[in-house]
Structures are given as structure tokens and as C-alpha cells.
Amino acid sequence: MRAINPWINFNGNAEEAFTFYKSVFGGEFTKIIRFKDISGPEMPIAENEANKIMYIGLPLGKNNVLIANDVPGFMGRVSEAENRSKIYVSADSREEAEQIFNGLSAGGDVEGPIGDTPWGTYAGMFRDKYGIEWIVEFDGSYNG
């Protein structure tokens, strides 16, 4: 398997969330497609949906891409209070784990503070200010 790329649905704030994620991870967006970019006679897009994100991708490392879109209003709202799947970040060092944890958890709710775990790793868990759940971990025994 080359990679697993998480895809997140947002309620109209995908671009804001990804700008924040980019400020933590760095890099550049691979592409941004707005609903107006795919609008046409066969697929009319309402004016209030035109600038919403249909696709945004942010590369993370060599083979991973974090992807998202805004859910169009006609499809209903994403429940931001539900327990969505967590995004797991495997850091290369304790320092990187802390930097990512502290950056992404700013303004969010920490569920498990970053620190040494009973299973011998350095990890923390939180829900960011956009409602996305993350686990950041450094496993010093991993040699892959």
C-alpha cells in the first residue's frame, strides 16, 4: 500500500481549516477546486455554494495527502459534534510530536495531554478548533 489519505468533510470552512493546518505542517496545497470551477449547464451550482471547496489537498511527508471538501447545503450538514475518525500522525521525534500537537490543538480541546504513555511512546490526543480529532505519537522503538 502506497498511502492512506484521510478525507475530511466540512460545513463551509474547509479552506479556513486547511490554511490553519498548512500553518502547522507547512507545504503547499496540491490543488484547490471550488464548486464554481465545476459548474455548468449539466451541473448548476447555487451562488451561495460557488466559492465552497470541492477539493483541497495538503501533502504531508512523501506519500501522504490530507484532503477535504465542503459539503454542499443540499446534502445537509456534517455533524461536527459526532465522533469522527481520528487522524493519526506518526512523528519522527518527540520534538516534532510536540510541535504538531501544540500547533494543531491550539484553540481546540485536549482529550489526552502529550506525554509518555504506558505502552512506551510519546503521544497525545485532541479535537482541534474545527472539530477534527487527532492523535499525535512518537514511537522511538519504531525503525521503519
Side-chain angles (χ1 to χ4, degrees):
M1 181 180 315
R2 197 183 94 200
I4 295 176
N5 299 308
W7 190 305
I8 309 168
N9 292 312
F10 287 90
N11 290 313
N13 62 342
E15 187 169 14
E16 176 188 340
F18 267 57
T19 299
F20 171 68
Y21 298 153
K22 181 180 167 185
S23 76
V24 174
F25 289 113
E28 297 297 326
F29 299 128
T30 54
K31 76 175 101 167
I32 298 175
I33 301 171
R34 297 183 188 282
F35 282 103
K36 68 182 176 186
D37 299 333
I38 62 164
S39 181
E42 68 287 343
M43 187 172 198
I45 302 295
E47 190 175 320
N48 66 330
E49 306 276 82
N51 282 317
K52 288 184 178 178
I53 300 293
M54 193 212 132
Y55 176 97
I56 189 168
L58 179 63
L60 305 175
K62 292 181 183 177
N63 299 316
N64 304 297
V65 179
L66 184 60
I67 303 166
N69 66 276
D70 289 315
V71 175
F74 71 85
M75 294 180 73
R77 288 188 58 78
V78 172
S79 175
E80 294 175 348
E82 74 181 24
N83 187 4
R84 297 193 237 183
S85 298
K86 291 182 178 2
I87 299 173
Y88 173 82
V89 178
S90 179
D92 288 329
S93 67
R94 289 173 72 96
E95 295 76 21
E96 182 182 54
E98 268 189 27
Q99 183 264 326
I100 292 169
F101 182 91
N102 292 334
L104 291 178
S105 66
D109 295 311
V110 173
E111 298 169 2
I114 194 157
D116 294 315
T117 65
W119 51 92
T121 67
Y122 187 72
M125 184 170 55
F126 59 92
R127 182 184 296 258
D128 73 21
K129 64 184 177 183
Y130 299 102
I132 305 303
E133 297 182 59
W134 298 80
I135 297 171
V136 178
E137 183 173 50
F138 168 64
D139 183 348
S141 67
Y142 179 70
N143 293 323

